[in-house]
Amino acid sequence: MEIRHDVRHVTGRACVCVCAYLILSTALWAPLSALVCAPLVCIQAAWKKSIVVTSTRLELITPSSVNMADPQVAYAQDEYGNPFIVVREQGKKTRAQGTQAIKDHIQAARTVSNILRTSLGPRGLDKILISPDGDIQVTNDGATIMSNMELEHQIAKLLVQLSKSQDDEIGDGTTGVVVMAGALLEQSEALIDRGIHPIRIADGFERACEIAVAALERVADKVEFDREHIDELLKVAETSLGSKIVSKASSKFARIATEAVLSVADLERKDVDFDLIKVDGKVGGSLEDSTLVKGVVIDKDFSHPQMPREIRDARIAILTCPLEPPRPKTKHKLDIGSVEEYKRLEEYERTTFQNMIQKIKDCGANLVVCQWGFDDEANHLLLQQNLPAVRWVGGPELELIAIATNGRIVPRFEDLSADKLGHAGLVREMSFGTTHDRMLVIEECANTRAVTAFLRGSNKMIIDEAKRALHDAMCVVRSLVRDNRVVYGGGAAEVCASIAVAQTADSIASIEQYATRAFAAALDAIPLALAENSGLAPIENLAMVKSKQVTEGDARYGIDCMGVGVRVLRLVCLTCRTTT
């Protein structure tokens, strides 16, 4: 055991007196008593020296041996002239500045980027995310992984915002954008080591970015489609699903995504209203059992088991007011002292329920959808009046029903009228599996644009991942509705841009030439990661792709991650299921 007392190994919360420390050591560790007694005699004889005891030797610390410039230690004497050493609890914190601070930030961002690098492409690995509560989530969606990471470094948090921005604006490519950002920072670090100022590096990157975008616009192809010819849209949507957990059912999900987007799209204005698309799921069945419902699906059933399971030509009263007697809004107390008073209260409640139900029937409604619940008595009266009802419907679902059926949400029974009812051709209740879980389906709605993607899966984790995959596919189709130009995946677009930037860099006379070359090298990170995650030789395949594109002048050459290697990635015969 070493109890050496020097400036680098001593920690404490207050002043440590060497003499008291030695006396305490003598009392606690008997084997050291013989070693400590001699220093004690020395201290009593000469107070101008302090002694540090180790298990093997004695060392003398004199005032001249203490580094007074060290901020963690100070030499002092008490009122009797006894020497002691003052040790601070923590050393003086220093702030990184200049080049070192920039490198620290780059290293933090690269660490996050390397985590997502292995999830890129169809052969990318899924990540298992464990929440503080112990919940497990398996996904390779970049935005989901980034949003669930508990990051403290501010620069690393910027990458989370970058991924979220990509997800909100584009909907796909959330992994590739983080990998690309990490590659740019890695190249920036090498330029900083060579003495190039960060401002000049940023200017060079902006210039290189303009060159890359111009190169992609030259090689981009247009995808022609309409509501009757959607084959090209299906291929693009299937491409975005190739790296997801639903890849085995990618054709099914691609059709669901394409038909859902076209159902709510305004092709003339090139606008897609995602508010009319609802994505819902139910545990049970397989992914192939998923379907697109031309209407609204809500996870509710009729309030009474004897109510009809199917209603045709439904006229729906959408209520946000409860089916119960009015009560004071302030705190109140109701005292019942006799049987007559109780019967009078019961009669009041029954009369109130009957008046509410009569108002609903007078407006012509034959189905009630209520945001709040109602008790068994009201439920029984609704059954007697042949008025089916659904209770405890959530606010967002209530709004979607109102949009789909062209109805109005009614906050009071006095406001009910025939023009505020929603209309649907069919409302039916369907059940699933051996558990007979029931859900309501509202079809043939007045507003035919509203649709619901109803997903099935073996467990909740599969359904959650299927929802994220379908969202990415729908966002890709939406992007094509807005702008129908495409470039090819498998790293083909990145290699094409890299070649164009590298060729232009030689003509730049300023120091930005180095930053432009670094940008071209960073673009190679995407095809390298795709090849590496697919078990191919990264450098060899990248060299082959560049050679093919330069010698043959075909920007469609890329890395086929499904195992073929380098080939032409045409949209009309798509085999590489990758998105970058």
Side-chain angles (χ1 to χ4, degrees):
M1 174 181 294
E2 180 165 334
I3 51 175
R4 183 175 178 178
H5 206 82
D6 60 15
V7 296
R8 290 186 178 87
H9 295 79
V10 175
T11 59
R13 294 187 177 275
C15 299
V16 179
C17 179
V18 175
C19 302
Y21 190 88
L22 293 173
I23 295 172
L24 183 61
S25 302
T26 306
L28 294 180
W29 290 282
L32 294 178
S33 58
L35 187 62
V36 175
C37 290
L40 287 175
V41 176
C42 296
I43 293 173
Q44 293 175 357
W47 289 99
K48 292 185 179 181
K49 293 182 179 180
S50 60
I51 298 177
V52 175
V53 182
T54 69
S55 58
T56 57
R57 65 188 182 275
L58 295 177
E59 294 184 3
L60 298 180
I61 296 180
T62 62
S64 60
S65 65
V66 177
N67 184 8
M68 303 306 294
D70 193 331
Q72 299 186 25
V73 66
Y75 180 84
Q77 291 181 341
D78 60 11
E79 62 273 17
Y80 301 106
N82 300 329
F84 60 89
I85 300 174
V86 180
V87 182
R88 296 186 180 180
E89 181 179 0
Q90 295 179 345
K92 183 179 179 181
K93 294 182 179 180
T94 58
R95 184 185 298 273
Q97 297 178 352
T99 302
Q100 186 59 42
I102 297 176
K103 288 185 176 181
D104 292 343
H105 297 330
I106 291 176
Q107 185 60 36
R110 285 180 58 190
T111 302
V112 177
S113 175
N114 290 336
I115 294 175
L116 262 67
R117 181 184 175 91
T118 56
S119 295
L120 186 66
R123 302 289 189 177
L125 302 178
D126 291 348
K127 297 291 187 293
I128 300 178
L129 308 177
I130 304 177
S131 68
D133 297 332
D135 297 333
I136 296 178
Q137 189 176 10
V138 180
T139 181
N140 68 346
D141 182 69
T144 305
I145 296 173
M146 295 293 290
S147 61
N148 285 277
M149 294 176 64
E150 297 181 358
L151 301 174
E152 295 183 359
H153 200 282
Q154 299 302 321
I155 302 302
K157 289 182 179 179
L158 287 178
L159 291 184
V160 177
Q161 298 177 10
L162 172 65
S163 179
K164 185 178 184 303
S165 175
Q166 176 78 5
D167 190 41
D168 294 339
E169 184 68 22
I170 306 299
D172 199 13
T174 53
T175 302
V177 70
V178 176
V179 174
M180 185 64 192
L184 288 172
L185 291 173
E186 182 179 359
Q187 296 295 326
S188 301
E189 187 175 10
L191 296 177
I192 291 174
D193 291 337
R194 301 181 67 174
I196 302 178
H197 196 275
I199 295 297
R200 306 304 299 272
I201 297 174
D203 292 341
F205 279 178
E206 290 181 0
R207 187 169 183 176
C209 182
E210 295 176 356
I211 299 170
V213 171
L216 293 180
E217 290 178 346
R218 289 194 301 268
V219 301
D221 289 341
K222 287 189 176 181
V223 178
E224 303 296 339
F225 65 91
D226 53 36
R227 296 188 186 275
E228 287 74 26
H229 303 86
I230 60 173
D231 292 341
E232 303 301 326
L233 291 180
L234 291 175
K235 293 176 182 179
V236 176
E238 193 171 351
T239 301
S240 68
L241 294 168
S243 61
K244 309 298 182 182
I245 200 172
V246 300
S247 58
K248 293 184 178 181
S250 57
S251 59
K252 179 79 172 182
F253 276 74
R255 182 165 294 276
I256 292 175
T258 303
E259 292 180 355
V261 171
L262 292 179
S263 297
V264 302
D266 187 344
L267 298 182
E268 294 182 359
R269 297 171 51 195
K270 296 184 177 181
D271 181 52
V272 179
D273 187 3
F274 267 19
D275 293 335
L276 296 176
I277 302 176
K278 180 186 177 185
V279 180
D280 203 352
K282 195 74 172 179
V283 175
S286 64
L287 292 172
E288 293 290 347
D289 297 330
S290 302
T291 184
L292 181 69
V293 178
K294 300 292 185 178
V296 181
V297 178
I298 56 176
D299 191 7
K300 300 293 178 182
D301 56 357
F302 289 111
S303 59
H304 198 285
Q306 295 182 3
M307 289 179 177
R309 295 286 178 262
E310 184 176 303
I311 302 173
R312 292 197 173 273
D313 191 19
R315 299 178 298 278
I316 308 172
I318 307 171
L319 306 177
T320 57
C321 47
L323 249 71
E324 60 182 20
R327 59 183 63 180
K329 296 184 180 299
T330 58
K331 187 176 180 180
H332 64 282
K333 181 180 178 181
L334 181 63
D335 294 327
I336 299 176
S338 63
V339 177
E340 289 75 14
E341 291 179 355
Y342 178 80
K343 289 183 177 181
R344 194 160 55 246
L345 176 62
E346 183 183 12
E347 182 64 27
Y348 168 75
E349 291 183 352
R350 183 183 297 108
T351 304
T352 304
F353 285 143
Q354 289 176 348
N355 292 336
M356 292 178 178
I357 295 172
Q358 190 61 40
K359 290 179 181 178
I360 296 174
K361 292 185 70 67
D362 289 343
C363 70
N366 59 0
L367 176 63
V368 179
V369 177
C370 185
Q371 186 178 16
W372 304 101
F374 39 82
D375 59 15
D376 293 339
E377 184 175 0
N379 200 18
H380 178 69
L381 292 174
L382 287 169
L383 178 64
Q384 284 185 336
Q385 296 294 329
N386 296 322
L387 188 60
V390 184
R391 53 186 171 184
W392 298 118
V393 180
E397 294 175 329
L398 212 66
E399 294 177 1
L400 186 59
I401 293 173
I403 294 174
T405 60
N406 285 341
R408 298 283 298 275
I409 298 177
V410 180
R412 298 187 307 169
F413 287 96
E414 291 77 8
D415 298 336
L416 271 173
S417 59
D419 58 337
K420 295 181 180 180
L421 300 180
H423 297 273
L426 176 63
V427 178
R428 60 186 176 90
E429 188 179 81
M430 58 180 179
S431 59
F432 306 95
T434 58
T435 58
H436 299 288
D437 294 334
R438 294 182 175 87
M439 299 184 74
L440 280 181
V441 181
I442 304 175
E443 297 176 311
E444 303 175 15
C445 300
N447 185 358
T448 57
R449 297 176 61 195
V451 295
T452 300
F454 185 62
L455 309 182
R456 305 300 306 279
S458 58
N459 53 55
K460 186 177 182 300
M461 183 185 67
I462 295 294
I463 291 178
D464 291 341
E465 184 66 13
K467 288 181 180 180
R468 289 188 288 267
L470 185 64
H471 173 266
D472 290 351
M474 290 192 299
C475 288
V476 169
V477 178
R478 178 190 62 181
S479 299
L480 280 177
V481 172
R482 294 176 175 175
D483 187 352
N484 63 342
R485 293 179 299 171
V486 298
V487 292
Y488 299 100
E494 287 79 6
V495 171
C496 174
S498 175
I499 293 173
V501 172
Q503 291 174 349
T504 309
D506 296 333
S507 62
I508 300 176
S510 64
I511 199 173
E512 295 175 1
Q513 177 184 139
Y514 292 93
T516 306
R517 285 202 187 99
F519 190 93
L523 287 171
D524 295 339
I526 298 296
L528 284 174
L530 289 174
E532 183 179 353
N533 293 342
S534 302
L536 305 175
I539 299 177
E540 179 182 354
N541 280 270
L542 177 60
M544 292 175 61
V545 171
K546 285 190 173 182
S547 175
K548 289 285 187 181
Q549 288 200 13
V550 172
T551 56
E552 300 185 14
D554 192 348
R556 296 173 297 180
Y557 275 100
I559 297 174
D560 186 355
C561 298
M562 305 312 291
V564 179
V566 177
R567 63 178 300 175
V568 176
L569 304 176
R570 289 189 177 90
L571 192 65
V572 293
C573 54
L574 194 61
T575 58
C576 180
R577 306 285 189 250
T578 63
T579 56
T580 58

